[in-house]
Amino acid sequence: MRKFTKKRVGDHWEVIYYDQRRRRRKFCKSSREADDIIYLYRQNEKQHGHPEPNLGNDPGRRSIQSLFDEWYDYISSDTTLRPSSIPSYRNQPKRFVNAFGKRSADSIDKKEASRWLMAQKIAHNSKADMVRMVRMIYKHFEIDCPLDTPRKLGKKQVEFYSVEQAKSLLNACPDRFKGVLAAQLFTGVRPAEALRMTLDSFNFSQRYFRVDSDASKSGFPRTVKRIPETVWPWLETYGYNTTNAERTRKSIAAMVDFKWVKDGLRHSFITYMVALGRVEDAILAAGHLDFRTTQTYYVNQTVLPEDAEAFFNLKPASL
């Protein structure tokens, strides 16, 4: 049986009790009304197991698993999201749901959640994505989230290909896939974006390319005009064929004598564009939402302008 406390506050009274570490208060106009409320609470607790049966629908009292299931059903029915992105809404918060699924949402305090988060042996980006999804769930039900976005310790330098390495990749690439590889290497589009684009995404007469909203990672379309001429001869010669892209990438990586760098094609483009002083053009082509990302990872790279010029002179006739 819970303990109920009656307390005078100014010109009114409060009835106070605790429910799963959460203090609940009921305001009353008089002492007699407070006594009536306490009597009603005790009767309800005997009959229904809780002083206020209607609080059974309070999201804070529901289990993490039930909140997640309801939220995921809501996300799955959102027609504004790309279908291919829906599984990430299920997979990314899975670790948290598995750990706390049977607990009520408001029974997890920040210290406990912080200790649990620090103990997870996963990459920082994966941890940040998980926290972002969990915070979305709590926000959806208007509950205070116990997880805070993890701080990143230090900044990892991006890896990119040297001019000779880029040349080796282009030589090792099958002819049917050279257009796609060159597009990533000389326009800075993301790998997933490149696979959603087609030859129609490139305007040969006016020399620009477009990433539509359904292909863009951010969901915002972008049209890029100020890029080096390097990519156009590759597309004109080899076209744009994304068939069996992942298998082809693995075969290219196996043929060269250096490590295949994740996003290395894109990193190379941005790094060499910045070395030429074309920072704004690099930001637009890469689809960065602001200057901070480019400044943090690319501006301080020690690349000579001569190397950048040699990189953008890698055309089919030069190999």
Side-chain angles (χ1 to χ4, degrees), residues 60-292:
R61 290 175 46 78
R62 292 172 55 188
S63 71
I64 295 292
Q65 183 67 57
S66 68
L67 294 180
F68 168 73
D69 292 340
E70 182 179 330
W71 172 79
Y72 183 69
D73 289 341
Y74 167 78
I75 289 293
S76 301
S77 62
D78 189 345
T79 56
T80 64
L81 296 173
R82 283 200 306 266
S84 59
S85 69
I86 297 297
S88 66
Y89 289 87
R90 180 185 67 245
N91 297 331
Q92 290 179 356
K94 204 170 190 178
R95 189 179 291 260
F96 180 83
V97 175
N98 289 342
F100 298 103
K102 296 181 180 180
R103 299 269 299 274
S104 63
D106 61 1
S107 70
I108 307 165
D109 57 34
K110 285 185 175 291
K111 286 185 178 180
E112 180 184 7
S114 178
R115 286 194 298 268
W116 175 83
L117 186 62
M118 290 179 64
Q120 303 308 300
K121 305 299 183 183
I122 54 177
H124 171 82
N125 288 344
S126 300
K127 194 176 290 187
D129 288 340
M130 176 186 65
V131 171
R132 179 169 60 87
M133 288 294 180
V134 172
R135 291 180 68 85
M136 285 177 64
I137 297 172
Y138 272 77
K139 184 177 180 181
H140 179 78
F141 293 100
E142 299 181 350
I143 312 171
D144 291 334
C145 183
L147 282 179
D148 292 321
T149 304
R151 292 183 299 173
K152 190 168 185 177
L153 302 176
K155 295 182 176 64
K156 186 179 179 180
Q157 285 282 71
V158 296
E159 297 180 84
F160 61 95
Y161 296 115
S162 67
V163 177
E164 289 302 317
Q165 288 175 334
K167 188 174 181 179
S168 298
L169 288 172
L170 290 166
N171 281 325
C173 182
D175 287 350
R176 64 173 180 79
F177 195 69
K178 280 183 178 176
V180 180
L181 187 76
Q184 295 179 60
L185 197 57
F186 301 122
T187 67
V189 294
R190 298 176 177 90
E193 293 175 341
L195 297 184
R196 298 186 193 114
M197 295 167 66
T198 65
L199 194 61
D200 293 335
S201 304
F202 299 87
N203 189 310
F204 289 84
S205 59
Q206 299 183 35
R207 291 299 202 247
Y208 70 82
F209 72 88
R210 177 174 174 80
V211 182
D212 294 324
S213 57
D214 58 347
S216 171
K217 175 186 176 182
S218 63
F220 296 103
R222 65 183 187 275
T223 300
V224 185
K225 297 181 179 180
R226 299 175 59 182
I227 57 172
E229 287 287 316
T230 317
V231 70
W232 303 109
W234 290 99
L235 294 174
E236 290 166 350
T237 305
Y238 298 105
Y240 199 87
N241 185 352
T242 59
T243 306
N244 293 328
E246 183 60 22
R247 185 184 302 173
T248 306
R249 182 197 68 76
K250 290 180 179 178
S251 68
I252 297 171
M255 291 176 66
V256 295
D257 58 356
F258 49 87
K259 183 180 74 171
W260 177 274
V261 178
K262 182 181 179 183
D263 291 326
L265 304 174
R266 168 182 170 83
H267 293 330
S268 301
F269 169 81
I270 302 172
T271 300
Y272 289 118
M273 285 287 281
V274 170
L276 291 176
R278 300 177 60 175
V279 179
E280 292 184 1
D281 295 342
I283 293 173
L284 178 59
H288 290 165
L289 297 179
D290 54 43
F291 177 69
R292 286 180 297 176

Side-chain angles (χ1 to χ4, degrees), residues 15-26:
V15 174
I16 302 170
Y17 71 94
Y18 286 86
D19 179 30
Q20 294 190 358
R21 304 180 187 176
R22 189 172 183 175
R23 187 174 72 163
R24 300 197 180 276
R25 297 184 297 175
K26 177 72 174 178

